[in-house]
Amino acid sequence: MSAFVSAIIVAAGGSTRMGISDSKQFIPLLGKPAISYTLSAFQKCALISEIVVVSRAQDINRIFELSQSEGFDKVSAVVEGGPCRAASVKNGMLAADAQAEYLAIHDGARPLITTDEITAVVEAAFETGAATVGTAVTDTIKIADENSYIVNTPDRAALRAVQTPQVFEKELYTFAINDADSLDSVTDDCSLIEKMGGEVLIVEGSFENIKLTTPIDVLIAESILSKRQQK
């Protein structure tokens, strides 16, 4: 199947837990900005037609310059984010090409995503209308009350840690985000589809597809990238 797929790279968040003043998208990983690895994976994916980056206002020119210097010619727009993650995604969606049929939404701070993983989840969305990358949960998860006492233990076999990209038919996602009562508490795009009764397929991903959130994540990311370069 061939369809126009717009990748929406959400890179508008702050870096509070990282403890830095600069955007974490520009944290150097083996000498290159983190977002460079993210954009490279989507640039190389044959199923991605264009890339729209959503960033903080002060980062727009830097991302444009990076895209030009690295030859990321699929980057068609860099737009300012909104007051919350879902609003930022909506800004990216509105900036996408009018002929877009699918949206592949990805966290800019997940620089270890691979082109093969992007391809697999996009192909799954072609079949189902909505798909996400995810992994099995290896820890035992507890549900606690407001006083931090354990309430119960869900069956680990049924749990999944959902990552990005999350890929949706554009019409489906547009309806879901416009139908949402509020976007402030939405931290996961799949939940918008779930709330309207839709189904989202989970495609098995990699434990390496981590999100840069705290300083230890930078050390882990560089270690993984170093191993990849040695292959």
Side-chain angles (χ1 to χ4, degrees):
M1 176 178 177
S2 177
F4 194 103
V5 182
S6 297
I8 310 297
I9 309 300
V10 187
S15 304
T16 304
R17 285 176 288 180
M18 191 62 73
I20 60 175
S21 58
D22 196 11
S23 298
K24 60 185 175 182
Q25 324 297 335
F26 295 99
I27 290 174
L29 299 177
L30 302 184
K32 295 175 61 176
I35 197 168
S36 178
Y37 295 95
T38 308
L39 294 177
S40 177
F42 281 85
Q43 174 73 29
K44 293 175 182 176
C45 181
L47 297 181
I48 298 299
S49 308
E50 69 165 350
I51 301 170
V52 176
V53 183
V54 186
S55 77
R56 299 196 297 179
Q58 61 264 41
D59 295 331
I60 290 177
N61 288 337
R62 292 173 72 186
I63 292 175
F64 260 129
E65 291 170 2
L66 173 67
S67 300
Q68 292 175 345
S69 64
E70 295 287 341
F72 300 146
D73 58 8
K74 287 186 180 179
V75 175
S76 59
V78 182
V79 298
E80 185 176 355
C84 63
R85 185 186 185 280
S88 292
V89 174
K90 191 170 185 178
N91 287 355
M93 179 183 72
L94 294 173
D97 194 293
Q99 63 184 315
E101 300 169 76
Y102 290 83
L103 303 175
I105 303 166
H106 185 69
D107 300 321
R110 289 188 187 272
L112 301 180
I113 188 67
T114 67
T115 298
D116 286 345
E117 289 164 346
I118 298 168
T119 299
V121 71
V122 170
E123 289 179 338
F126 286 166
E127 296 294 326
T128 65
T132 182
V133 176
T135 60
V137 173
T138 57
D139 292 327
T140 297
I141 305 298
K142 301 290 185 180
I143 296 176
D145 63 18
E146 63 275 10
N147 297 312
S148 296
Y149 285 98
I150 294 172
V151 175
N152 59 53
T153 306
D155 181 7
R156 186 170 65 184
L159 299 177
R160 297 293 183 273
V162 173
Q163 306 169 343
T164 63
Q166 299 181 358
V167 188
F168 312 96
E169 289 182 341
K170 183 182 178 182
E171 288 187 7
L172 173 67
Y173 187 81
T174 300
F175 180 85
I177 199 167
N178 288 336
D179 190 57
D181 294 330
S182 173
L183 299 181
D184 293 341
S185 61
V186 177
T187 59
D188 165 70
D189 297 289
C190 293
S191 64
L192 291 170
I193 308 302
E194 296 165 37
K195 288 178 181 177
M196 57 177 281
E199 295 182 330
V200 183
L201 177 68
I202 299 176
V203 176
E204 188 66 30
S206 167
F207 291 106
E208 293 184 353
N209 185 24
I210 64 172
K211 187 176 182 180
L212 300 182
T213 304
T214 63
I216 191 65
D217 298 324
V218 177
L219 298 178
I220 295 171
E222 288 197 313
S223 177
I224 294 170
L225 289 169
S226 293
K227 289 184 65 175
R228 288 181 181 179
Q229 291 182 1
Q230 293 170 10
K231 292 181 180 179

CSV table of all heavy atoms in Angstrom, one decimal, residues 123-145:
chain,number,residue,atom,x,y,z
A,123,GLU,N,3.1,0.3,8.6
A,123,GLU,CA,2.5,-0.7,7.8
A,123,GLU,C,1.3,-1.3,8.6
A,123,GLU,O,0.2,-1.6,8.0
A,123,GLU,CB,3.5,-1.8,7.5
A,123,GLU,CG,4.5,-1.4,6.4
A,123,GLU,CD,5.5,-2.5,6.0
A,123,GLU,OE1,5.7,-3.4,6.9
A,123,GLU,OE2,6.1,-2.4,4.9
A,124,ALA,N,1.4,-1.4,9.9
A,124,ALA,CA,0.4,-1.9,10.8
A,124,ALA,C,-0.8,-1.0,10.7
A,124,ALA,O,-2.0,-1.4,10.7
A,124,ALA,CB,0.8,-2.1,12.2
A,125,ALA,N,-0.5,0.3,10.8
A,125,ALA,CA,-1.6,1.3,10.7
A,125,ALA,C,-2.3,1.3,9.4
A,125,ALA,O,-3.6,1.6,9.3
A,125,ALA,CB,-1.1,2.7,11.0
A,126,PHE,N,-1.6,1.0,8.3
A,126,PHE,CA,-2.3,0.9,7.0
A,126,PHE,C,-3.3,-0.2,7.0
A,126,PHE,O,-4.4,-0.1,6.4
A,126,PHE,CB,-1.2,0.5,5.9
A,126,PHE,CG,-0.3,1.6,5.5
A,126,PHE,CD1,0.8,1.3,4.8
A,126,PHE,CD2,-0.6,2.9,5.8
A,126,PHE,CE1,1.7,2.3,4.3
A,126,PHE,CE2,0.3,3.9,5.4
A,126,PHE,CZ,1.4,3.7,4.7
A,127,GLU,N,-3.1,-1.3,7.8
A,127,GLU,CA,-4.0,-2.4,7.9
A,127,GLU,C,-5.1,-2.1,8.9
A,127,GLU,O,-6.3,-2.6,8.7
A,127,GLU,CB,-3.2,-3.7,8.3
A,127,GLU,CG,-2.2,-4.1,7.3
A,127,GLU,CD,-2.8,-4.6,6.0
A,127,GLU,OE1,-3.9,-5.2,6.1
A,127,GLU,OE2,-2.2,-4.4,5.0
A,128,THR,N,-4.8,-1.4,10.0
A,128,THR,CA,-5.8,-1.3,11.1
A,128,THR,C,-6.4,0.1,11.3
A,128,THR,O,-7.4,0.2,12.0
A,128,THR,CB,-5.2,-1.8,12.4
A,128,THR,OG1,-4.1,-0.9,12.8
A,128,THR,CG2,-4.6,-3.2,12.3
A,129,GLY,N,-5.7,1.1,10.8
A,129,GLY,CA,-6.2,2.5,11.0
A,129,GLY,C,-5.5,3.1,12.2
A,129,GLY,O,-5.4,4.4,12.3
A,130,ALA,N,-5.0,2.3,13.1
A,130,ALA,CA,-4.3,2.9,14.3
A,130,ALA,C,-3.4,1.9,14.9
A,130,ALA,O,-3.8,0.7,15.2
A,130,ALA,CB,-5.4,3.3,15.4
A,131,ALA,N,-2.1,2.3,15.1
A,131,ALA,CA,-1.1,1.4,15.7
A,131,ALA,C,0.0,2.1,16.4
A,131,ALA,O,0.2,3.3,16.1
A,131,ALA,CB,-0.5,0.5,14.5
A,132,THR,N,0.6,1.5,17.4
A,132,THR,CA,1.6,2.1,18.2
A,132,THR,C,2.7,1.1,18.4
A,132,THR,O,2.5,-0.1,18.4
A,132,THR,CB,1.1,2.6,19.5
A,132,THR,OG1,2.2,3.2,20.2
A,132,THR,CG2,0.5,1.5,20.4
A,133,VAL,N,3.9,1.6,18.7
A,133,VAL,CA,5.0,0.7,19.1
A,133,VAL,C,4.9,0.6,20.6
A,133,VAL,O,4.5,1.5,21.4
A,133,VAL,CB,6.4,1.4,18.8
A,133,VAL,CG1,7.5,0.6,19.3
A,133,VAL,CG2,6.5,1.6,17.3
A,134,GLY,N,5.2,-0.6,21.1
A,134,GLY,CA,5.2,-0.9,22.6
A,134,GLY,C,6.0,-2.1,22.9
A,134,GLY,O,6.3,-2.9,22.0
A,135,THR,N,6.2,-2.3,24.2
A,135,THR,CA,7.0,-3.5,24.7
A,135,THR,C,6.3,-4.1,25.9
A,135,THR,O,5.5,-3.5,26.5
A,135,THR,CB,8.4,-3.1,25.1
A,135,THR,OG1,8.3,-2.1,26.2
A,135,THR,CG2,9.2,-2.5,24.0
A,136,ALA,N,6.6,-5.4,26.1
A,136,ALA,CA,6.1,-6.0,27.3
A,136,ALA,C,6.7,-5.4,28.5
A,136,ALA,O,7.8,-4.8,28.5
A,136,ALA,CB,6.4,-7.5,27.2
A,137,VAL,N,5.9,-5.5,29.6
A,137,VAL,CA,6.4,-4.9,30.9
A,137,VAL,C,7.2,-6.0,31.6
A,137,VAL,O,6.6,-7.1,31.8
A,137,VAL,CB,5.2,-4.4,31.7
A,137,VAL,CG1,5.7,-4.0,33.1
A,137,VAL,CG2,4.6,-3.2,31.0
A,138,THR,N,8.4,-5.7,32.0
A,138,THR,CA,9.2,-6.7,32.7
A,138,THR,C,9.2,-6.6,34.2
A,138,THR,O,9.4,-7.6,34.9
A,138,THR,CB,10.7,-6.6,32.2
A,138,THR,OG1,11.1,-5.3,32.5
A,138,THR,CG2,10.8,-6.9,30.7
A,139,ASP,N,8.8,-5.4,34.7
A,139,ASP,CA,8.7,-5.2,36.2
A,139,ASP,C,7.3,-5.7,36.7
A,139,ASP,O,6.4,-5.6,35.9
A,139,ASP,CB,8.9,-3.8,36.6
A,139,ASP,CG,10.3,-3.3,36.3
A,139,ASP,OD1,11.3,-4.1,36.5
A,139,ASP,OD2,10.5,-2.1,36.0
A,140,THR,N,7.2,-6.0,37.9
A,140,THR,CA,5.9,-6.2,38.5
A,140,THR,C,5.3,-4.8,38.9
A,140,THR,O,6.0,-4.0,39.5
A,140,THR,CB,6.0,-7.1,39.8
A,140,THR,OG1,6.5,-8.4,39.5
A,140,THR,CG2,4.7,-7.2,40.5
A,141,ILE,N,4.1,-4.6,38.4
A,141,ILE,CA,3.5,-3.3,38.6
A,141,ILE,C,2.5,-3.4,39.7
A,141,ILE,O,1.7,-4.3,39.8
A,141,ILE,CB,2.8,-2.8,37.3
A,141,ILE,CG1,3.8,-2.8,36.1
A,141,ILE,CG2,2.1,-1.4,37.5
A,141,ILE,CD1,4.9,-1.8,36.3
A,142,LYS,N,2.5,-2.4,40.6
A,142,LYS,CA,1.5,-2.3,41.7
A,142,LYS,C,0.6,-1.1,41.5
A,142,LYS,O,1.1,0.0,41.1
A,142,LYS,CB,2.3,-2.2,43.1
A,142,LYS,CG,3.2,-3.4,43.4
A,142,LYS,CD,2.5,-4.6,43.7
A,142,LYS,CE,3.4,-5.7,44.1
A,142,LYS,NZ,2.7,-7.0,44.4
A,143,ILE,N,-0.6,-1.2,41.9
A,143,ILE,CA,-1.5,-0.1,42.0
A,143,ILE,C,-1.6,0.3,43.4
A,143,ILE,O,-1.9,-0.5,44.3
A,143,ILE,CB,-2.9,-0.4,41.4
A,143,ILE,CG1,-2.8,-0.8,39.9
A,143,ILE,CG2,-3.9,0.7,41.6
A,143,ILE,CD1,-4.1,-1.2,39.3
A,144,ALA,N,-1.3,1.6,43.7
A,144,ALA,CA,-1.3,2.1,45.1
A,144,ALA,C,-2.4,3.1,45.3
A,144,ALA,O,-2.9,3.8,44.4
A,144,ALA,CB,0.1,2.7,45.4
A,145,ASP,N,-2.8,3.3,46.6
A,145,ASP,CA,-3.8,4.3,46.9
A,145,ASP,C,-3.1,5.7,47.2
A,145,ASP,O,-1.9,5.8,47.0
A,145,ASP,CB,-4.6,3.9,48.1
A,145,ASP,CG,-3.8,3.7,49.4
A,145,ASP,OD1,-2.6,4.2,49.5
A,145,ASP,OD2,-4.2,3.1,50.4
